[in-house]
Amino acid sequence: MKHLKKSYVQEGINLYLVRFILSFFKNRFKPQGKVLIKTCDGIGDILVRTKLIKMIEDKYGKENIYFLMQKGYTGLGEILGYKAIGYSREDRKNFIPRLKKMYELNSMGFSTYINVEFTNDITTGNLFIPERIGREDLNWQVSRNNKYYTKSYRLKDDYVMNQVAEMSKEILGKSFESTDLIPDLRELFEIKEENIVVAVGSTDRTRVCSPIIMANYLKEVKNRYPDKIIQLVGNGDRQERYAKKLIELLGEDKIENLVNKTSLKDVFERVAKSCLFIGFESGLYNFCFALRKKGIILFKAKEGAFIHRVPWLTILSPEIDRKDIIDQEYPGLKINSIEVKAFKRALEEMENEKSSY
């Protein structure tokens, strides 16, 4: 029955029909030594692989490398110094846009295609690039695409930097420790120790504590850093309501609401100039990790693929789960169970640690 699922059938029709049509143009697709790297997943996924990307650039020459990215993330590519090619949902899902995009990519002179995503590649079957490298995806909806790689490999579910190390070994042919692949983006930004940045959201609402709880944490921040401005960052209506609730609970003194008022580049620059970052599991948290800035990060669980145990980050997770829901919009019992005293202790310990990383 799985093969009768509408999306699966439609994707298969697009895949094989586009491949059939492009096969008549193969003589026009001339390899010229260029490299196409596909990285269309989330901000955090892209950021944790930046050290790997640097190694690939060293191997193939940065001038030869282009990046296939979600259209909404090409700005991130520019921030990182990538030559980004936009790739929309229509380019992936709809027949005519897909045919045009695949013809464009095949005509650009790529000799090597490297998919550095952790899962899901529905692109490789429509590429006639001679060398095609990527992780096998065992999800039945996309597993048929694995056969189009000239070299494929499998990764086990693990801490994300262990996965990046395994990926690096397969792509570059050298063994690395996960610590060798920890990103360091400090050279791209002006680093200072000014204000405190609080990211008020995440892609998953269950990762975010109630603003009532966050207000209690920020009272401790204001007590410890009375002269620092707390900058609230994020985007979307839900996060704007969150920020307004915080200001309602804490007042406007030394709090700046920047939700929906900044670009991604501006937020990155503010984190780079911060003395402390506070947030949840999100792209900005992974940016804090990659920038090696001090941060306190709130997690609803003690274990997870993206929990970075590094000296500049303090990961807080609940010791005992709440029994009562205090906020219907943010009802998660686990994420709302991190006690204020644990947060206060994290602030004190971070204040006493020296920055030597």
Side-chain angles (χ1 to χ4, degrees):
M1 292 297 293
K2 68 183 183 182
H3 298 296
L4 297 180
K5 189 173 180 180
K6 183 179 178 181
S7 60
Y8 180 85
V9 173
Q10 181 180 355
E11 169 59 31
I13 292 172
N14 285 341
L15 168 67
Y16 297 122
L17 191 54
V18 169
R19 185 172 180 82
F20 175 74
I21 294 172
L22 290 178
S23 67
F24 291 97
F25 298 90
K26 285 196 294 185
N27 291 336
R28 299 184 184 183
F29 305 149
K30 305 293 185 182
Q32 299 172 20
K34 298 178 183 178
V35 178
L36 178 63
I37 296 178
K38 181 169 182 274
T39 179
C40 285
D41 39 11
I43 292 175
D45 300 299
I46 294 169
L47 292 170
V48 299
R49 295 191 297 256
T50 50
K51 188 71 171 289
L52 166 60
I53 295 302
K54 178 66 169 62
M55 293 178 174
I56 295 175
E57 289 175 340
D58 291 342
K59 178 177 179 179
Y60 291 96
K62 184 172 183 177
E63 70 280 2
N64 297 317
I65 296 178
Y66 295 75
F67 294 83
L68 189 61
M69 307 182 74
Q70 288 187 48
K71 279 194 173 179
Y73 290 162
T74 54
L76 172 60
E78 293 171 3
I79 292 171
L80 297 173
Y82 298 167
K83 288 183 285 188
I85 301 170
Y87 195 33
S88 68
R89 188 179 189 279
E90 289 71 26
D91 293 335
R92 299 191 298 275
K93 299 292 186 180
N94 297 343
F95 173 69
I96 295 299
R98 178 167 176 157
L99 178 62
K100 290 180 179 179
K101 177 58 69 173
M102 293 302 123
Y103 184 87
E104 173 194 348
L105 294 175
N106 282 298
S107 301
M108 289 183 67
F110 295 114
S111 300
T112 303
Y113 168 76
I114 304 174
N115 174 30
V116 297
E117 295 172 343
F118 297 116
T119 57
N120 190 13
D121 186 11
I122 64 172
T123 306
T124 184
N126 289 148
L127 295 175
F128 291 84
I129 298 170
E131 183 180 29
R132 300 177 300 278
I133 304 169
R135 176 189 184 177
E136 288 188 13
D137 195 326
L138 302 183
N139 184 314
W140 66 266
Q141 291 182 287
V142 292
S143 59
R144 63 186 166 197
N145 297 286
N146 295 334
K147 65 184 178 182
Y148 295 109
Y149 288 124
T150 58
K151 179 184 178 182
S152 64
Y153 53 88
R154 294 185 180 183
L155 297 178
K156 62 182 180 181
D157 291 335
D158 197 356
Y159 170 50
V160 68
M161 296 313 302
N162 291 339
Q163 293 188 54
V164 174
E166 285 297 312
M167 187 182 293
S168 304
K169 179 181 178 181
E170 297 291 343
I171 294 172
L172 299 172
K174 298 178 182 179
S175 294
F176 299 93
E177 299 294 330
S178 61
T179 52
D180 298 329
L181 277 301
I182 293 177
D184 187 351
L185 299 180
R186 287 176 289 187
E187 65 180 23
L188 298 181
F189 298 89
E190 183 181 11
I191 305 299
K192 293 185 178 180
E193 298 287 328
E194 295 181 345
N195 299 312
I196 294 164
V197 173
V198 179
V200 298
S202 172
T203 53
D204 183 349
R205 183 172 54 138
T206 66
R207 298 173 181 171
V208 181
C209 74
S210 166
I212 298 170
I213 301 291
M214 178 59 78
N216 290 330
Y217 300 150
L218 295 186
K219 287 176 185 176
E220 297 298 330
V221 173
K222 289 170 72 73
N223 288 337
R224 182 158 290 275
Y225 300 94
D227 298 326
K228 298 292 184 182
I229 295 174
I230 297 174
Q231 299 177 324
L232 308 178
V233 299
N235 60 79
D237 292 341
R238 185 184 297 278
Q239 294 183 32
E240 187 165 11
R241 291 196 302 272
Y242 194 107
K244 288 180 178 178
K245 183 64 176 179
L246 285 177
I247 291 175
E248 176 187 319
L249 293 169
L250 296 169
E252 296 183 356
D253 182 47
K254 299 290 186 180
I255 297 183
E256 186 178 6
N257 182 6
L258 299 174
V259 175
N260 289 335
K261 299 176 183 177
T262 56
S263 65
L264 181 63
K265 182 179 180 181
D266 185 44
V267 173
F268 278 9
E269 289 173 346
R270 290 177 186 277
V271 174
K273 294 177 182 178
S274 70
C275 65
L276 175 64
F277 173 84
I278 299 168
F280 308 96
E281 183 181 0
S282 65
L284 281 182
Y285 150 61
N286 282 287
F287 178 68
C288 182
F289 166 65
L291 201 62
R292 308 197 180 200
K293 294 292 289 188
K294 286 184 179 181
I296 298 177
I297 316 300
L298 308 170
F299 270 79
K300 66 179 182 180
K302 293 182 181 296
E303 302 296 333
F306 277 86
I307 293 183
H308 305 302
R309 303 289 184 184
V310 289
W312 55 95
L313 295 178
T314 298
I315 306 295
L316 293 182
S317 54
E319 297 298 329
I320 301 175
D321 293 350
R322 294 185 70 95
K323 303 299 182 185
D324 59 318
I325 294 176
I326 65 167
D327 188 333
Q328 291 298 326
E329 189 165 15
Y330 297 93
L333 296 178
K334 291 183 179 294
I335 193 64
N336 284 317
S337 297
I338 300 171
E339 296 182 341
V340 175
K341 64 181 181 181
F343 187 91
K344 181 178 180 180
R345 184 167 60 249
L347 281 175
E348 293 170 350
E349 292 174 353
M350 185 163 284
E351 185 82 2
N352 295 330
E353 289 179 358
K354 294 181 178 180
S355 300
S356 58
Y357 27 83

